[in-house]
Amino acid sequence: MSKHQIQKKCVLTLATLTLFIQCASDSCEGEPRKAKVESNSVSERSNRVWVTFIHQPSGQSFQVVDVTEDNAKTTAPLPAGEYRIQATVSKSTGNYAIRMSAQFKDCVDYKVFVNAIRLSMNLNGQAR
């Protein structure tokens, strides 16, 4: 094989690899974002947990209810953009609201954890 043929083969291989990598990186575009909601609430009778996602530009809301330790929930497809997230924890001592804001982006899977005991909420995102 001549030096010219080797160079041509290398360029073709690199071009193919570049197209493959680009296709792989764009593979999540158009897939709807969803958020998985988890809690350490033991049962629906002791601490009730529900979470509402409010899309700021449109005002559209998405809600998951009765989230427990053994019953994680996943939202309906969410549009990208800014969200207000409110978790409500209902305990024997009363109802408590936990609030946060977040920017939901393309190609990221989100997980919300509501700590029903300490009345806190964490949001993590992981790129697909």
Side-chain angles (χ1 to χ4, degrees):
M1 213 185 257
S2 72
K3 185 176 180 182
H4 179 70
Q5 287 174 322
I6 292 172
Q7 286 176 338
K8 192 174 179 181
K9 189 173 183 178
C10 286
V11 168
L12 186 58
T13 302
L14 286 174
T16 304
L17 185 59
T18 302
L19 284 173
F20 176 74
I21 290 170
Q22 185 170 351
C23 288
S25 68
D26 293 341
S27 64
C28 66
E29 294 212 9
E31 289 182 24
R33 282 149 268 6
K34 293 184 181 180
K36 184 176 184 179
V37 181
E38 300 176 340
S39 178
N40 61 349
S41 175
V42 178
S43 74
E44 292 177 20
R45 285 171 287 188
S46 62
N47 300 332
R48 291 193 64 213
V49 175
W50 60 96
V51 178
T52 304
F53 297 83
I54 302 168
H55 187 240
Q56 290 303 302
S58 69
Q60 190 176 12
S61 67
F62 306 85
Q63 188 173 61
V64 292
V65 298
D66 294 331
V67 180
T68 63
E69 190 171 339
D70 296 329
N71 190 23
K73 302 279 180 110
T74 302
T75 65
L78 301 169
E82 185 73 23
Y83 281 84
R84 277 184 319 160
I85 305 169
Q86 178 173 317
T88 303
V89 179
S90 179
K91 299 173 124 182
S92 61
T93 56
N95 291 333
Y96 303 90
I98 308 161
R99 294 178 180 88
M100 71 171 22
S101 293
Q103 179 76 30
F104 281 19
K105 299 179 181 179
D106 286 334
C107 300
V108 176
D109 291 323
Y110 293 94
K111 182 166 68 172
V112 176
F113 179 78
V114 178
N115 188 327
I117 298 167
R118 295 191 179 186
L119 298 175
S120 63
M121 179 169 43
N122 295 343
L123 173 69
N124 293 311
Q126 183 175 5
R128 291 185 199 153

